[in-house]
Amino acid sequence: MSGTKTILLTGYEPFDRFPYNPSGVIAEALDGKELADGYVIRGAVLPVDCVKMPGVLYGLFEKYQPQVVIGLGLAFSETGLRIERVGHNWSEITGLPDNGGHNRPGIPLLPDVPAAYFSTFPSKQIVADLLEAGIPAHTSDHAGGHLCNEMLFTALHAINAGAWQHPSGNPVIAGFIHLPATPQLAVQLIQTEKHIRNIASMSLDLMQQGVEQVLTSTIQAV
Ligand code: PCA
């Protein structure tokens, strides 16, 4: 179902050495939830595959025609909700390959387009509202070189290039949130990865409450 007041909320499937990804779990849990002012969340889980992901994301945009597009992803050593302000035209997947078996040495995502775009959600207000709600959060100007940055850059480029438009004519708002590990995931990694001795974590409930707060702060700015 699409509508003029749709928020597309994406998360990711498990990847790398993480058997669980809170971002996909939260995106699915919030699917169908109604927020203030008639906004409805459409949640979806993206593949951690640098070749397939952009096509899946474009398909979701076509299907839902959202006014707001927010991505979620796991940043396992993070200490709070990390509000990403910049999507870079860069892809660097070293170490373990993505779920499609791809590594990337460090290449532009798209040739002949800008090096970066700014997120368009109200990042400062979002952090202020999260802190006010008692949820640790901070802004970040680098979303990494993996699939999370690719999602943010792909969305911002599609909007800036005019490929993604909302029926109302209002610009589509986009941004990305990195999430910490859950306590369960932190324990699992400490037990199984020799070099990991401590990892910050946050309960899934608190993260989900934080994500809802981000969406509420964002629609107030539309
Ligand atoms: N986190 C990775 C990709 C998928 C995810 O959940 C990232 O931070 O890029």
Side-chain angles (χ1 to χ4, degrees):
M1 194 187 79
S2 68
T4 54
K5 293 198 157 182
T6 301
I7 300 169
L8 173 60
L9 180 68
T10 68
Y12 274 113
E13 62 185 4
F15 70 109
D16 203 299
R17 58 209 193 281
F18 314 119
Y20 174 83
N21 195 330
S23 68
V25 174
I26 290 175
E28 281 188 325
L30 290 177
D31 180 43
K33 177 148 186 159
E34 291 179 21
L35 298 180
D37 209 17
Y39 278 91
V40 179
I41 302 170
R42 295 294 158 202
V45 179
L46 295 172
V48 180
D49 179 320
C50 63
V51 176
K52 273 196 201 143
M53 186 280 294
V56 176
L57 186 61
Y58 266 77
L60 289 166
F61 189 87
E62 289 302 313
K63 184 172 172 191
Y64 293 126
Q65 302 278 296
Q67 173 63 74
V68 175
V69 181
I70 305 284
L72 306 175
L74 169 67
F76 88 103
S77 56
E78 202 42 78
T79 53
L81 270 63
R82 193 168 112 198
I83 308 305
E84 300 294 351
R85 298 197 287 203
V86 183
H88 296 269
N89 186 8
W90 194 251
S91 183
E92 191 162 343
I93 302 174
T94 52
L96 285 180
D98 72 11
N99 291 351
H102 312 103
N103 280 112
R104 280 184 172 162
I107 53 168
L109 284 162
L110 294 173
D112 306 323
V113 306
Y117 295 102
F118 293 118
S119 296
T120 50
F121 62 0
S123 45
K124 273 197 172 165
Q125 189 61 48
I126 286 170
V127 170
D129 292 345
L130 285 168
L131 296 178
E132 181 69 26
I135 301 172
H138 58 281
T139 54
S140 152
D141 294 329
H142 204 299
H146 210 281
L147 267 286
C148 292
N149 174 68
E150 184 169 346
M151 183 277 167
L152 181 58
F153 181 82
T154 301
L156 292 173
H157 176 67
I159 293 163
N160 278 278
W164 286 7
Q165 287 172 352
H166 188 255
S168 67
N170 292 336
V172 177
I173 309 272
F176 197 92
I177 311 164
H178 265 121
L179 302 172
T182 56
Q184 171 205 11
L185 185 54
V187 167
Q188 216 165 328
L189 288 167
I190 291 166
Q191 285 175 335
T192 55
E193 302 276 325
K194 274 199 190 101
H195 63 286
I196 296 179
R197 295 185 55 225
N198 52 60
I199 303 176
S201 64
M202 189 187 279
S203 76
L204 191 70
D205 280 357
L206 193 63
M207 278 194 241
Q208 187 166 317
Q209 199 185 313
V211 171
E212 286 189 53
Q213 178 60 58
V214 171
L215 302 184
T216 297
S217 304
T218 301
I219 56 182
Q220 279 166 1
V222 172

